[in-house]
Amino acid sequence: MNKNFLQRISSFTLPFTAYIIVLFSIGCATQMAHAQEKIKFKGIVKDSISQESLPYARASFQKIAPLQQTLIHTASDTTGLLVVNLDTGVYQVTIQLVGYGQLIKKLKVSTTTAGTQVFLLQAAANQLKQVNVVGKKPLISQQKDKLVYDVEQDEAAKGENISDVMRRVPMLSVDGEGNVQLNGQTNYKVLLNGRETAMFAQNTKDALRGFPGAVVAKIEVITSPSAKYDAEGIGGLINIITKKAIFGYNGFVNAYYSNINYQTSTNFSVRTGKFAVTGTYFLSGNYDNKSQVFNETLPLQPATYQRRFLEGDQVANRFLNNGNLEMSYNIDTLQTIVLYGNISGGHNRSKLLQTITTDVANAAPQLDFFTQNIRNSFPTYGIGSDFIKKFKSNPDKELSFRFNGLFSKNDGLNTSLMDRTSNDLFRKNDNYSKNKEYTFQTDFIQPIDTDLKLETGAKFIFRDANADYLSLSRTAEDQPYEPDASNSDSFAYKQQVYSAYGSLAFSLSKLNFRTGLRAEHTEVNGDFFNTNTKVKQSYTTLIPDFSMNTQLSKSYTMVFSYTKRLQRPYINTLNPFVNNNDPLNLSFGNPELGAQTIHSLSWQNRILKGINFFSFALSASYSGNMIAQYTTFNEASGISTTQYDNVGRNREIASLISFSSSIKKLRGGFNLSIRYNKIENMLIASQQQEGISGNLGAFFYLTLYKTFSISGSGGINRPPFTLVNSQKAIHYYQVNFGAKFFKDKLNATVNFNNFFAKWRNNYAFTEDSNFSNRLHTRTPFRVTYIGFTYNFGKLKENLSKKRGVKNDDLIN
């Protein structure tokens, strides 16, 4: 690190309460070429209204003074940046991009030329009619801290949900049930347009399977989040960016129907002048899905019984719907205000009929019948506003203020009957909870020079969770229900998180560095009203991060990173309500859970050359206070108790290989992850699991004719080892036939999933020195669906990115 650079760092300070901006530039190195001085010129091409950077704009520089010389041609990169070596003098610059008017302007280049020049293009409204694809952007692109998958360039995505699309995204893998892994990890956060939403916080898998691919523009994969992001997750962040950028109006209608589920969605966007509105609504669900459950518990020490075996059928119904509305107004070319809101909800209903056989020593087996009716509804809504200000002096300088309010409820009722030979047991468990969350955030980006950028900001989150839970029971149908005082209570749980961060990005020769520190202080106050029990926590956590990347060639990038991540428990894991419908299988949460911390190291190698992408990565992680779910077995009573606590210690190493390519009309690829993890219960030494697991997923897309295609995917997956219900490997596959009609406005698809197997067999196990448990579930696996997407409107163009408030520190 040279002396001048260290002096710049040491002389730059930025107090938390005010931003003191020190601007300085680095003089360009000079060299003699044809008796003239060479200048490394940098410019950026942007939309004149939205200020969005425009990639792949063609630019020509014609020197007109002192002497007219040969044209120099170049193009903006994926971030809209132009970099070209120019002699000093006066140039005529011409910039062209499809959908925009041609820009011609004079430019004087001298030794005093500094900073990045901005070229603003105006959309050519009179040139836009129907959707006409002139050229295609690359499907995959990489930036310093993230990988970007352009869903708009993926023809198969129009008839799929976003979970299916993710099967083709490098660094992501999806099993046959829709469980997504990021960089080989199941611990990550999903953002929607950079914002935290209750839709993904409550049930990520179902939300992704219900989210239409036709509404998505891009998927950003961030494996090593900077200090700017909340301290969430081992794997990183998945940011889903929707299609909300248009000129004029456009939209689509999408629907599909199968033998087990359905989905429909619609999107409409309109822009006039400086005002834009985008709305999306979708719903999905299934109906009377029948599955089978087999559960065997074997005591390994003398106990009240020798074997307990449950078997039966379950019928499930699910419904999920979500609506999003966003309005943006460009006050001028530098200031934008955004208002947004979303409303979502749904329900899960299931009925379980089981036969329980209990083997007792020296006696005939005991036969019981167990019936459960479970319903759960989860309405949510949110509102928010962003204000983003950019600066004329520097196009990359930005100040933003954001507010977000998120409100969710969960209403669950579990009614059961244990029909036993001795005496019957009727139970009714009613559990109602609600959560309010308010977030205030400010961020500031200050480029100091072309190789040095500072980001800093502050954030405040206030969470207010409340729950009422009531347990009732009776021993005969003609008797009234009696409350169980030991399992009925009301509690309030308030959490306040104060955080501030600073992140510095700089370059030294070919090495790009990012280092930062985030400080988060948490206050927790819980109150159980009936038992007069208090819960109080106060802790401060420092979250450092470091990343270094270097571009060894135009196509080869190497990334090394270290992060420390933090996760706080969510209300689902905090609620101490005991699910006691089956009196020999109890489960509950823990209101005294603390945050868990995870240390992670990663080394990634990425090669992106045209249509070919290859990545090889090694990673290691450690958590010594993991929020773990574990089960204990009481030999005297025969009761299995499942609970949460900060008792997990998990060590993991993993390797990941991703590859995708195209050969004429065929595109394909695969994601392979292999991991070894060892998880231990620090309270119970006999409870530990370790072994090798991983995922192999492959995909292909073949264009048969201009309007017909065939695509497919498949693989095998074994999730990481856990203390409860470690799963065995499962395989999956699907084939899709697609067609386009009416000048590509109508896309139709027919899909066949797992057509050789009617049932999906899942096997999971839990064991220690006292007992073993084997769980076998059979769920519908063979799925055939038909669907269509109809597009309408005019050519799309991108608006400015609205990052929004994002709280990504929760674990379900």
Side-chain angles (χ1 to χ4, degrees):
M1 187 175 294
N2 61 55
K3 183 178 179 181
N4 291 335
F5 178 78
L6 292 173
Q7 289 175 345
R8 296 204 307 272
I9 297 293
S10 61
S11 64
F12 185 81
T13 59
L14 183 61
F16 173 75
T17 56
Y19 299 109
I20 304 175
I21 304 167
V22 180
L23 298 176
F24 59 93
S25 61
I26 301 176
C28 297
T30 60
Q31 61 178 0
M32 297 302 296
H34 306 293
Q36 294 182 352
E37 296 187 62
K38 283 281 189 181
I39 302 297
K40 187 176 182 180
F41 175 81
K42 290 187 177 182
I44 189 167
V45 184
K46 293 194 172 189
D47 185 289
S48 62
I49 297 178
S50 68
Q51 294 294 300
E52 174 78 5
S53 298
L54 299 175
Y56 314 112
R58 293 175 295 169
S60 61
F61 292 79
Q62 171 72 61
K63 190 171 184 181
I64 57 178
L67 296 172
Q68 188 168 354
Q69 296 182 355
T70 306
L71 278 170
I72 299 175
H73 298 283
T74 186
S76 60
D77 63 13
T78 56
T79 64
L81 188 65
L82 293 166
V83 180
V84 61
N85 292 320
L86 299 175
D87 294 326
T88 56
V90 180
Y91 290 80
Q92 178 175 287
V93 183
T94 304
I95 299 179
Q96 296 174 308
L97 182 63
V98 175
Y100 289 85
Q102 178 177 271
L103 173 66
I104 300 175
K105 65 179 298 183
K106 288 185 179 180
L107 175 70
K108 184 177 182 180
V109 178
S110 66
T111 55
T112 60
T113 301
T116 303
Q117 303 295 315
V118 181
F119 299 99
L120 298 177
L121 299 187
Q122 294 184 349
N126 60 342
Q127 298 178 11
L128 303 181
K129 295 182 180 179
Q130 299 300 325
V131 178
N132 294 310
V133 179
V134 176
K136 287 190 175 182
K137 300 178 183 177
L139 190 64
I140 302 168
S141 60
Q142 59 177 335
Q143 300 178 13
K144 292 180 180 179
D145 62 344
K146 61 189 174 186
L147 192 75
V148 181
Y149 186 84
D150 195 333
V151 181
E152 289 183 296
Q153 305 304 316
D154 187 345
E155 295 294 332
K158 295 181 180 180
E160 298 177 327
N161 60 53
I162 198 63
S163 180
D164 291 329
V165 176
M166 286 180 174
R167 300 181 194 276
R168 299 185 291 275
V169 179
M171 317 297 288
L172 300 183
S173 58
V174 186
D175 66 18
E177 287 189 320
N179 298 299
V180 179
Q181 295 180 15
L182 167 56
N183 205 19
Q185 301 287 345
T186 57
N187 192 356
Y188 55 86
K189 199 68 178 180
V190 178
L191 306 178
L192 181 62
N193 296 319
R195 305 181 185 113
E196 169 86 359
T197 68
M199 173 178 58
F200 292 125
Q202 289 195 350
N203 193 328
T204 303
K205 181 179 74 173
D206 284 347
L208 290 174
R209 294 175 76 174
F211 204 96
V215 76
V216 179
K218 297 177 182 178
I219 298 175
E220 296 180 341
V221 180
I222 305 173
T223 56
S224 56
S226 71
K228 179 177 182 176
Y229 296 96
D230 293 341
E232 185 276 339
I234 299 172
L237 303 176
I238 301 174
N239 186 23
I240 298 173
I241 301 174
T242 57
K243 298 177 183 178
K244 57 176 179 285
I246 52 91
F247 186 89
Y249 74 94
N250 73 335
F252 73 87
V253 177
N254 168 271
Y256 81 70
Y257 181 87
S258 82
N259 56 310
I260 66 170
N261 56 12
Y262 58 89
Q263 175 182 304
T264 184
S265 59
T266 185
N267 170 272
F268 183 79
S269 300
V270 62
R271 175 168 185 163
T272 174
K274 298 181 178 181
F275 183 72
V277 179
T278 299
T280 301
Y281 175 78
F282 68 87
L283 61 87
S284 64
N286 61 261
Y287 37 84
D288 292 338
N289 278 3
K290 295 180 181 180
S291 59
Q292 296 176 318
V293 181
F294 309 90
N295 195 330
E296 181 185 54
T297 302
L298 292 174
L300 303 180
Q301 303 291 338
T304 56
Y305 58 83
Q306 296 178 321
R307 175 179 179 264
R308 190 170 191 254
F309 184 71
L310 291 77
E311 61 178 328
D313 298 327
Q314 183 174 11
V315 179
N317 290 272
R318 179 184 65 86
F319 175 78
L320 174 70
N321 73 127
N322 183 277
N324 295 280
L325 181 67
E326 180 174 310
M327 297 178 290
S328 65
Y329 179 74
N330 295 315
I331 301 172
D332 52 36
T333 58
L334 299 174
Q335 299 180 95
T336 302
I337 187 168
V338 183
L339 300 174
Y340 57 89
N342 62 79
I343 183 169
S344 64
H347 63 257
N348 294 315
R349 295 174 182 171
S350 62
K351 184 175 183 179
L352 181 65
L353 303 173
Q354 281 189 326
T355 300
I356 304 175
T357 303
T358 306
D359 296 335
V360 183
N362 303 319
Q366 178 181 321
L367 190 64
D368 302 323
F369 300 94
F370 184 42
T371 304
Q372 278 193 97
N373 286 283
I374 306 169
R375 68 161 178 82
N376 185 52
S377 60
F378 35 88
T380 65
Y381 68 93
I383 56 173
S385 179
D386 301 348
F387 173 75
I388 303 106
K389 178 177 175 59
K390 296 181 179 291
F391 296 83
K392 241 181 211 182
S393 58
N394 193 320
D396 296 321
K397 181 178 176 181
E398 181 179 292
L399 175 65
S400 61
F401 299 94
R402 301 176 172 99
F403 163 77
N404 185 31
L406 193 61
F407 313 93
S408 61
K409 298 179 183 179
N410 199 313
D411 188 3
L413 179 64
N414 190 332
T415 304
S416 65
L417 165 62
M418 181 69 72
D419 187 354
R420 299 185 290 197
T421 55
S422 55
N423 62 296
D424 296 340
L425 178 61
F426 296 80
R427 278 217 164 106
K428 182 185 291 185
N429 289 324
D430 194 354
N431 202 331
Y432 176 80
S433 62
K434 57 182 179 180
N435 186 62
K436 299 177 183 178
E437 183 176 294
Y438 304 94
T439 304
F440 302 89
Q441 178 179 343
T442 180
D443 298 287
F444 179 68
I445 303 173
Q446 174 60 68
I448 301 172
D449 61 30
T450 55
D451 296 321
L452 181 62
K453 181 175 72 173
L454 178 74
E455 296 185 57
T456 187
K459 188 173 185 178
F460 169 67
I461 308 171
F462 174 73
R463 297 185 175 105
D464 184 2
N466 295 271
D468 298 309
Y469 51 96
L470 175 64
S471 183
L472 304 168
S473 63
R474 64 186 181 187
T475 56
E477 193 170 4
D478 57 352
Q479 295 179 352
Y481 278 102
E482 297 292 338
D484 181 358
S486 64
N487 196 31
S488 302
D489 206 340
S490 298
F491 81 95
Y493 189 91
K494 299 184 186 300
Q495 182 187 91
Q496 299 176 13
V497 182
Y498 308 87
S499 60
Y501 75 90
S503 180
L504 192 66
F506 56 92
S507 299
L508 292 175
S509 185
K510 291 184 177 181
L511 296 177
N512 300 303
F513 295 88
R514 188 199 70 219
T515 183
L517 182 66
R518 185 179 186 91
E520 296 191 352
H521 177 74
T522 306
E523 294 282 345
V524 174
N525 290 281
D527 193 351
F528 294 82
F529 300 110
N530 293 352
T531 58
N532 196 26
T533 303
K534 306 286 186 180
V535 176
K536 188 173 181 63
Q537 298 177 3
S538 179
Y539 54 90
T540 301
T541 309
L542 296 179
I543 311 294
D545 88 277
F546 173 80
S547 176
M548 179 189 72
N549 71 79
T550 180
Q551 193 165 355
L552 300 178
S553 67
K554 290 183 179 180
S555 58
Y556 179 26
T557 301
M558 183 185 297
V559 182
F560 175 81
S561 64
Y562 162 77
T563 58
K564 175 185 176 183
R565 313 305 291 164
L566 174 73
Q567 283 193 306
R568 301 177 181 85
Y570 197 59
I571 190 171
N572 293 356
T573 52
L574 294 168
N575 195 337
F577 167 73
V578 179
N579 186 341
N580 59 2
N581 292 82
D582 181 353
L584 295 186
N585 283 292
L586 309 180
S587 61
F588 52 87
N590 181 1
E592 296 187 0
L593 282 175
Q596 71 179 55
T597 54
I598 307 104
H599 301 268
S600 181
L601 284 170
S602 176
W603 175 55
Q604 297 180 16
N605 298 268
R606 303 174 185 171
I607 298 175
L608 179 59
K609 191 170 184 179
I611 56 178
N612 302 305
F613 176 84
F614 175 80
S615 173
F616 171 72
L618 294 175
S619 64
S621 63
Y622 172 80
S623 178
N625 61 344
M626 184 179 181
I627 297 176
Q629 191 179 34
Y630 67 100
T631 300
T632 56
F633 181 75
N634 187 314
E635 296 88 350
S637 63
I639 297 175
S640 299
T641 303
T642 302
Q643 57 192 309
Y644 290 93
D645 209 340
N646 293 94
V647 298
R649 179 166 56 198
N650 189 59
R651 303 177 182 92
E652 182 170 313
I653 57 174
S655 63
L656 177 68
I657 298 175
S658 294
F659 173 77
S660 64
S661 183
S662 297
I663 303 175
K664 294 184 179 180
K665 296 182 179 182
L666 176 65
R667 176 165 58 89
F670 67 88
N671 288 306
L672 170 65
S673 64
I674 301 175
R675 81 177 67 82
Y676 166 83
N677 82 296
K678 181 178 182 179
I679 183 170
E680 303 168 277
N681 188 330
M682 293 184 292
L683 286 182
I684 306 173
S686 62
Q687 287 196 355
Q688 55 180 287
Q689 300 289 343
E690 64 178 313
I692 295 175
S693 58
N695 177 278
L696 171 61
F699 71 91
F700 75 91
Y701 183 87
L702 175 63
T703 303
L704 299 176
Y705 301 100
K706 290 184 178 179
T707 57
F708 293 94
S709 64
I710 179 173
S711 61
S713 63
I716 185 169
N717 175 68
R718 177 165 186 165
F721 284 82
T722 60
L723 295 177
V724 176
N725 290 336
S726 292
Q727 296 184 27
K728 295 186 177 181
I730 50 179
H731 66 276
Y732 52 91
Y733 52 90
Q734 60 94 18
V735 177
N736 183 84
F737 298 91
K740 303 175 185 178
F741 305 96
F742 308 118
K743 297 182 179 180
D744 295 348
K745 284 184 169 294
L746 178 64
N747 290 263
T749 183
V750 179
N751 184 281
F752 301 93
N753 279 260
N754 311 296
F755 37 84
F756 290 120
K758 180 179 180 181
W759 298 99
R760 174 193 182 97
N761 290 285
N762 293 338
Y763 298 91
F765 62 91
T766 303
E767 58 187 12
D768 67 6
S769 60
N770 297 315
F771 81 109
S772 70
N773 179 270
R774 295 290 185 272
L775 176 63
H776 172 203
T777 58
R778 299 181 66 192
T779 55
F781 204 33
R782 182 184 298 149
V783 180
T784 301
Y785 74 75
I786 58 174
F788 73 88
T789 301
Y790 180 75
N791 298 276
F792 58 88
K794 298 183 180 180
L795 184 65
K796 304 178 182 69
E797 64 181 50
N798 288 327
L799 295 175
S800 60
K801 296 178 181 177
K802 314 300 187 301
R803 292 180 177 85
V805 172
K806 40 194 177 296
N807 299 337
D808 33 56
D809 59 346
L810 300 178
I811 183 171
N812 285 310

